[in-house]
Amino acid sequence: MSDPLAVQFVNAREWRQGPMAATPVDGYRALVEWARKAELFGRTEADRLSREAESRPSEAEAAWERARRLREATYRILSAQGEGRHPESADLAVLNESLGEGAARRHLRSTAEGLCWTWVEAPDCGLDWMLWPVAYSAAELVTGSEADRVKSCPAEGCGWIFVDRSRNRSRRWCDMQSCGNREKARRHYHRGRERTETTASDAS
C-alpha cells in the first residue's frame, strides 16, 4: 500500500533536517510535476497549468507560496502527531484554509470500484487546485484509523514522515534500504572507533 497523498507531499522535500534542508530545490514547476507523478492529473492538465503559469507568473509564484506553506504546516502537524504532541494552531489554520477552499469543489463520484471523492474543476480554480486533495488527505490521516501510526524518520539529516503499517508497529525508518542501512553503518563506525580509542587508551 502506498503512502497517503499528504505524506508523499511533505516528503517531496528531499531533505528535512541538517544543512541541506535549507537548499531551495523546488518551485511552481516542481509542484506541477510532483502532482502529475502523484497522478492527481495527467500530462494534458500539467501542460495547461505550465502554460498558465508562464502567462501569469505572479499568480504562479503566489500559488507556489501557498503550496509551500501548506507543505510545511502539514509536515509539522504530522510530526506532532507522530510524537504525541498537539499541533500548533497556526499550522491547523493553514490546513483548514485549504480544506475550506476545496470544500465546494468536492463531490462523490461513482467508479467501477465504488464511490470515491473527486474534485470538480472550474475556470476560477486557479493554479493551486492540486492542494485540495492533499489537504483532505492530511485531514483524513490525522483523524482516521492510522493516526497513531504516523512516525518521523529518526535518521540523521532525514526526518521524512511515514505510516508504520507493520504488524507490531516496529518500523523505525522511512526506508530500510537508505536511512536504515545508513544509520546501521554509522553506528557500526562509531562503535568501532570507540573500541579503537579505548584500546589505545588502555595501551598507554
Side-chain angles (χ1 to χ4, degrees):
M1 183 183 296
S2 61
D3 286 327
L5 187 63
V7 172
Q8 297 178 45
F9 186 59
V10 299
N11 288 346
R13 184 167 180 176
E14 187 171 1
W15 296 97
R16 277 284 164 195
Q17 301 171 351
M20 289 293 289
T23 303
V25 294
D26 39 23
Y28 185 76
R29 285 181 178 272
L31 173 64
V32 171
E33 184 60 17
W34 172 84
R36 186 188 68 80
K37 290 181 178 178
E39 299 183 346
L40 290 177
F41 46 70
R43 174 57 67 185
T44 299
E45 175 65 3
D47 291 343
R48 185 191 71 80
L49 288 171
S50 296
R51 289 194 302 271
E52 291 289 326
E54 289 178 2
S55 63
R56 295 145 56 191
S58 61
E59 291 182 40
E61 180 62 25
W64 161 242
E65 178 59 22
R66 288 192 293 273
R68 187 196 65 78
R69 288 177 62 239
L70 177 62
R71 186 181 67 182
E72 299 311 302
T74 301
Y75 173 75
R76 290 189 292 268
I77 290 170
L78 296 181
S79 293
Q81 185 86 7
E83 296 169 7
R85 297 182 288 105
H86 291 294
E88 296 292 332
S89 58
D91 291 330
L92 289 176
V94 172
L95 178 57
N96 280 321
E97 180 182 0
S98 189
L99 289 170
E101 291 171 352
R105 307 291 187 190
R106 197 180 192 215
H107 296 265
L108 282 172
R109 178 169 60 91
S110 181
T111 69
E113 290 76 29
L115 295 175
C116 71
W117 286 111
T118 188
W119 276 259
V120 178
E121 299 173 52
D124 61 344
C125 278
L127 299 177
D128 59 354
W129 71 264
M130 74 286 287
L131 301 181
W132 303 339
V134 170
Y136 273 89
S137 172
E140 289 171 351
L141 177 57
V142 297
T143 60
S145 61
E146 292 187 320
D148 60 350
R149 291 180 177 268
V150 176
K151 293 183 178 181
S152 178
C153 182
E156 184 177 0
C158 184
W160 270 20
I161 300 296
F162 64 92
V163 178
D164 182 3
R165 295 190 174 107
S166 63
R167 180 173 300 179
N168 57 357
R169 306 191 183 201
S170 60
R171 180 179 169 187
R172 187 177 181 188
W173 317 105
C174 65
D175 188 291
M176 188 60 206
Q177 299 305 313
S178 55
C179 285
N181 285 339
R182 187 172 71 243
E183 284 299 298
K184 286 173 62 177
R186 188 177 68 85
R187 290 198 301 270
H188 178 75
Y189 167 78
H190 284 296
R191 284 197 298 268
R193 185 173 181 178
E194 289 173 359
R195 285 195 296 268
T196 300
E197 291 175 350
T198 300
T199 302
S201 176
D202 292 342
S204 63

